Coordinates of all heavy atoms in Angstrom, one line a residue:
G165 N -13.2 12.4 4.5 CA -12.0 12.8 3.7 C -10.7 12.4 4.3 O -9.8 13.2 4.4
R166 N -10.5 11.1 4.6 CA -9.3 10.7 5.2 C -8.2 10.5 4.1 O -8.5 10.4 2.9 CB -9.5 9.3 5.8 CG -10.6 9.2 6.8 CD -10.4 10.2 8.0 NE -11.6 10.2 8.9 CZ -11.9 11.1 9.7 NH1 -11.1 12.2 9.8 NH2 -12.9 11.0 10.5
S167 N -7.0 10.6 4.5 CA -5.8 10.5 3.6 C -5.8 9.1 3.0 O -6.0 8.1 3.6 CB -4.5 10.7 4.4 OG -3.4 10.5 3.6
H168 N -5.7 9.1 1.6 CA -5.7 7.9 0.8 C -6.9 7.1 1.0 O -6.9 5.9 0.6 CB -4.4 7.0 1.2 CG -3.1 7.7 0.8 ND1 -1.9 7.0 1.0 CD2 -2.8 8.9 0.4 CE1 -0.9 7.8 0.6 NE2 -1.4 8.9 0.2
Q169 N -8.0 7.7 1.4 CA -9.2 6.9 1.7 C -9.7 6.1 0.5 O -10.0 4.9 0.6 CB -10.4 7.9 2.1 CG -11.7 7.2 2.3 CD -12.8 8.2 2.8 OE1 -12.5 9.0 3.7 NE2 -14.0 8.1 2.2
L170 N -9.8 6.7 -0.7 CA -10.4 6.0 -1.8 C -9.4 4.9 -2.3 O -9.9 3.8 -2.7 CB -10.6 7.0 -3.0 CG -11.6 8.1 -2.7 CD1 -11.8 9.1 -3.9 CD2 -13.0 7.6 -2.2
R171 N -8.2 5.1 -2.2 CA -7.2 4.1 -2.6 C -7.2 2.9 -1.7 O -7.2 1.8 -2.2 CB -5.8 4.8 -2.6 CG -5.7 6.0 -3.6 CD -4.5 6.9 -3.4 NE -3.3 6.3 -3.8 CZ -2.1 6.9 -3.8 NH1 -2.0 8.2 -3.5 NH2 -1.0 6.3 -4.3
V172 N -7.3 3.1 -0.4 CA -7.3 2.0 0.5 C -8.6 1.3 0.5 O -8.7 0.0 0.5 CB -6.9 2.5 1.9 CG1 -7.0 1.3 2.9 CG2 -5.5 3.1 2.0
H173 N -9.7 2.0 0.4 CA -11.0 1.4 0.3 C -11.2 0.5 -0.9 O -11.8 -0.6 -0.8 CB -12.1 2.5 0.4 CG -12.4 2.9 1.8 ND1 -13.4 3.8 2.1 CD2 -12.0 2.4 3.0 CE1 -13.5 4.0 3.4 NE2 -12.6 3.2 4.0
M174 N -10.7 1.0 -2.0 CA -10.8 0.1 -3.2 C -9.9 -1.1 -3.1 O -10.3 -2.2 -3.5 CB -10.4 0.9 -4.5 CG -11.4 2.0 -4.9 SD -13.1 1.3 -5.3 CE -14.0 1.6 -3.8
L175 N -8.7 -0.9 -2.5 CA -7.9 -2.1 -2.2 C -8.6 -3.1 -1.3 O -8.5 -4.3 -1.6 CB -6.6 -1.6 -1.5 CG -5.6 -2.7 -1.1 CD1 -5.0 -3.4 -2.3 CD2 -4.5 -2.0 -0.2
E176 N -9.2 -2.6 -0.3 CA -9.9 -3.5 0.7 C -11.1 -4.2 0.0 O -11.5 -5.3 0.4 CB -10.3 -2.7 1.9 CG -9.2 -2.3 2.8 CD -8.4 -3.4 3.4 OE1 -9.0 -4.4 3.8 OE2 -7.1 -3.3 3.5
L177 N -11.7 -3.5 -1.0 CA -12.8 -4.1 -1.7 C -12.3 -5.3 -2.6 O -13.1 -6.0 -3.2 CB -13.5 -3.1 -2.5 CG -14.9 -3.3 -3.1 CD1 -15.9 -3.5 -1.9 CD2 -15.4 -2.2 -4.0
G178 N -11.0 -5.3 -2.8 CA -10.4 -6.3 -3.7 C -10.1 -5.9 -5.1 O -9.8 -6.7 -6.0
H179 N -10.2 -4.5 -5.3 CA -10.1 -4.0 -6.6 C -9.2 -2.7 -6.5 O -9.7 -1.6 -6.6 CB -11.5 -3.6 -7.2 CG -12.4 -4.8 -7.4 ND1 -12.3 -5.6 -8.4 CD2 -13.3 -5.3 -6.5 CE1 -13.2 -6.6 -8.3 NE2 -13.9 -6.4 -7.2
P180 N -7.9 -2.9 -6.4 CA -7.0 -1.7 -6.3 C -7.1 -0.8 -7.6 O -7.4 -1.3 -8.7 CB -5.6 -2.3 -6.2 CG -5.7 -3.7 -6.8 CD -7.1 -4.2 -6.4
I181 N -6.8 0.5 -7.4 CA -6.9 1.4 -8.5 C -5.6 1.2 -9.4 O -4.5 1.0 -8.9 CB -6.9 2.8 -7.9 CG1 -8.1 3.1 -7.1 CG2 -6.8 3.8 -9.1 CD1 -8.2 4.4 -6.5
L182 N -5.9 1.2 -10.7 CA -4.8 0.9 -11.6 C -3.7 2.0 -11.5 O -4.0 3.2 -11.3 CB -5.3 0.9 -13.1 CG -6.5 -0.1 -13.4 CD1 -6.8 0.0 -14.9 CD2 -6.1 -1.5 -12.9
G183 N -2.5 1.6 -11.6 CA -1.4 2.5 -11.6 C -1.0 3.0 -10.2 O -0.2 4.0 -10.1
D184 N -1.5 2.4 -9.2 CA -1.3 2.9 -7.8 C 0.0 2.3 -7.3 O 0.1 1.2 -6.9 CB -2.4 2.6 -6.9 CG -2.4 3.3 -5.6 OD1 -1.3 3.8 -5.2 OD2 -3.4 3.4 -4.9
R185 N 1.1 3.1 -7.3 CA 2.4 2.6 -6.9 C 2.5 2.3 -5.4 O 3.5 1.6 -5.0 CB 3.5 3.6 -7.4 CG 3.6 4.9 -6.7 CD 4.5 5.9 -7.3 NE 5.9 5.3 -7.5 CZ 6.8 5.3 -6.5 NH1 6.6 5.8 -5.4 NH2 8.0 4.8 -6.8
L186 N 1.6 2.8 -4.6 CA 1.7 2.5 -3.2 C 0.8 1.3 -2.8 O 1.2 0.5 -1.9 CB 1.1 3.7 -2.4 CG 2.0 5.0 -2.3 CD1 1.4 6.0 -1.4 CD2 3.4 4.6 -1.7
Y187 N -0.3 1.1 -3.5 CA -1.2 0.0 -3.0 C -1.5 -1.1 -4.0 O -1.9 -2.2 -3.6 CB -2.5 0.7 -2.6 CG -2.4 1.7 -1.5 CD1 -2.4 3.0 -1.7 CD2 -2.3 1.2 -0.2 CE1 -2.3 3.9 -0.7 CE2 -2.2 2.1 0.9 CZ -2.2 3.5 0.6 OH -2.1 4.4 1.6
A188 N -1.3 -0.8 -5.3 CA -1.7 -1.8 -6.3 C -0.7 -3.0 -6.4 O 0.5 -2.8 -6.1 CB -1.7 -1.2 -7.7
H189 N -1.2 -4.2 -6.6 CA -0.4 -5.4 -6.9 C 0.2 -5.2 -8.3 O -0.1 -4.3 -9.0 CB -1.1 -6.7 -6.7 CG -2.4 -6.8 -7.4 ND1 -2.5 -6.7 -8.8 CD2 -3.7 -6.9 -7.0 CE1 -3.8 -6.8 -9.2 NE2 -4.5 -6.9 -8.1
D190 N 1.2 -6.1 -8.6 CA 2.0 -5.9 -9.9 C 1.1 -5.8 -11.1 O 1.3 -5.0 -12.0 CB 3.0 -7.1 -10.0 CG 4.1 -6.9 -9.0 OD1 4.3 -5.9 -8.4 OD2 4.8 -7.9 -8.8
S191 N 0.0 -6.7 -11.1 CA -0.8 -6.7 -12.3 C -1.6 -5.4 -12.5 O -1.7 -4.8 -13.6 CB -1.8 -7.9 -12.2 OG -1.1 -9.1 -12.2
A192 N -2.1 -4.8 -11.4 CA -2.9 -3.6 -11.5 C -1.9 -2.4 -11.7 O -2.3 -1.4 -12.4 CB -3.6 -3.3 -10.2
L193 N -0.7 -2.5 -11.2 CA 0.3 -1.4 -11.4 C 0.7 -1.3 -12.9 O 0.9 -0.3 -13.4 CB 1.5 -1.6 -10.5 CG 2.6 -0.6 -10.5 CD1 2.0 0.8 -10.0 CD2 3.7 -1.0 -9.6
A194 N 0.8 -2.5 -13.5 CA 1.3 -2.6 -14.9 C 0.3 -2.1 -15.9 O 0.6 -1.8 -17.0 CB 1.7 -4.0 -15.2
M195 N -1.0 -2.0 -15.5 CA -2.1 -1.6 -16.4 C -2.2 -0.1 -16.7 O -3.0 0.3 -17.5 CB -3.4 -2.2 -15.9 CG -3.5 -3.7 -16.1 SD -5.1 -4.4 -15.4 CE -6.3 -3.7 -16.5
A196 N -1.4 0.7 -16.0 CA -1.5 2.2 -16.2 C -0.2 2.8 -15.8 O 0.5 2.4 -14.8 CB -2.7 2.8 -15.4
S197 N 0.1 3.9 -16.5 CA 1.4 4.6 -16.2 C 1.2 5.7 -15.1 O 2.2 6.2 -14.6 CB 1.8 5.3 -17.5 OG 0.9 6.2 -18.0
R198 N 0.0 5.9 -14.7 CA -0.3 6.9 -13.6 C -1.4 6.3 -12.8 O -2.2 5.4 -13.2 CB -0.7 8.3 -14.1 CG -1.9 8.2 -15.1 CD -2.7 9.5 -15.1 NE -3.4 9.7 -13.8 CZ -4.4 10.7 -13.7 NH1 -4.6 11.5 -14.6 NH2 -5.0 10.7 -12.5
L199 N -1.6 6.9 -11.6 CA -2.8 6.5 -10.8 C -4.0 6.9 -11.5 O -4.2 8.1 -11.8 CB -2.7 7.2 -9.4 CG -3.8 7.0 -8.4 CD1 -3.9 5.6 -7.9 CD2 -3.8 8.1 -7.3
Q200 N -4.9 6.0 -11.7 CA -6.2 6.2 -12.4 C -7.3 6.7 -11.4 O -8.3 6.0 -11.2 CB -6.6 5.0 -13.1 CG -5.6 4.5 -14.1 CD -5.7 5.1 -15.5 OE1 -6.5 4.8 -16.3 NE2 -4.7 6.1 -15.7
L201 N -7.0 7.8 -10.8 CA -7.9 8.4 -9.8 C -8.0 9.9 -10.1 O -7.0 10.6 -10.2 CB -7.5 8.2 -8.4 CG -8.4 8.8 -7.3 CD1 -9.8 8.2 -7.3 CD2 -7.7 8.6 -5.9
H202 N -9.3 10.4 -10.3 CA -9.5 11.8 -10.7 C -10.6 12.4 -10.0 O -11.7 11.9 -10.0 CB -9.7 11.8 -12.2 CG -10.0 13.2 -12.8 ND1 -8.9 14.1 -13.1 CD2 -11.1 13.8 -13.2 CE1 -9.4 15.2 -13.6 NE2 -10.8 15.0 -13.7
A203 N -10.4 13.6 -9.4 CA -11.5 14.4 -8.8 C -12.3 15.1 -9.9 O -11.9 16.2 -10.3 CB -10.9 15.4 -7.8
E204 N -13.4 14.5 -10.3 CA -14.1 14.9 -11.5 C -15.1 16.0 -11.2 O -15.4 16.9 -12.0 CB -14.8 13.7 -12.1 CG -15.6 14.0 -13.3 CD -17.1 14.3 -13.0 OE1 -17.6 14.0 -11.9 OE2 -17.8 14.8 -13.9
S205 N -15.8 16.0 -10.0 CA -16.8 17.0 -9.7 C -16.6 17.5 -8.3 O -16.2 16.8 -7.3 CB -18.2 16.4 -9.7 OG -18.6 16.2 -11.1
L206 N -16.8 18.9 -8.1 CA -16.7 19.5 -6.8 C -17.8 20.5 -6.8 O -17.9 21.4 -7.6 CB -15.4 20.1 -6.5 CG -15.2 20.9 -5.2 CD1 -15.4 20.0 -4.0 CD2 -13.9 21.6 -5.1
C207 N -18.7 20.5 -5.7 CA -19.8 21.4 -5.6 C -19.8 22.0 -4.2 O -19.5 21.3 -3.2 CB -21.1 20.7 -5.8 SG -21.3 19.7 -7.3
F208 N -20.0 23.3 -4.2 CA -20.1 24.0 -2.9 C -20.8 25.3 -3.1 O -21.1 25.7 -4.2 CB -18.6 24.3 -2.4 CG -17.7 25.0 -3.3 CD1 -17.6 26.4 -3.2 CD2 -17.0 24.3 -4.3 CE1 -16.8 27.1 -4.1 CE2 -16.2 25.0 -5.2 CZ -16.1 26.4 -5.1
T209 N -21.1 26.0 -2.0 CA -21.8 27.3 -2.0 C -20.7 28.4 -2.1 O -19.8 28.5 -1.3 CB -22.6 27.5 -0.7 OG1 -23.6 26.4 -0.7 CG2 -23.3 28.8 -0.8
H210 N -20.9 29.4 -3.0 CA -20.0 30.5 -3.2 C -20.0 31.3 -1.9 O -21.1 31.6 -1.3 CB -20.4 31.3 -4.4 CG -19.4 32.4 -4.7 ND1 -19.2 33.5 -4.1 CD2 -18.5 32.3 -5.7 CE1 -18.2 34.2 -4.6 NE2 -17.7 33.5 -5.6
P211 N -18.8 31.7 -1.4 CA -18.8 32.4 -0.1 C -19.4 33.7 -0.1 O -19.8 34.2 1.0 CB -17.2 32.5 0.2 CG -16.6 32.3 -1.2 CD -17.5 31.4 -1.9

Side-chain angles (χ1 to χ4, degrees):
R166 308 303 177 197
S167 180
H168 294 186
Q169 175 177 318
L170 302 179
R171 300 164 73 172
V172 178
H173 276 179
M174 289 300 98
L175 175 69
E176 293 295 323
L177 196 64
H179 300 276
I181 299 176
L182 304 185
D184 192 339
R185 68 189 308 274
L186 287 182
Y187 299 102
H189 49 63
D190 289 346
S191 296
L193 185 61
M195 288 177 66
S197 59
R198 56 151 289 189
L199 176 70
Q200 303 276 281
L201 178 62
H202 179 78
E204 181 268 346
S205 286
L206 177 62
C207 309
F208 56 93
T209 301
H210 191 281

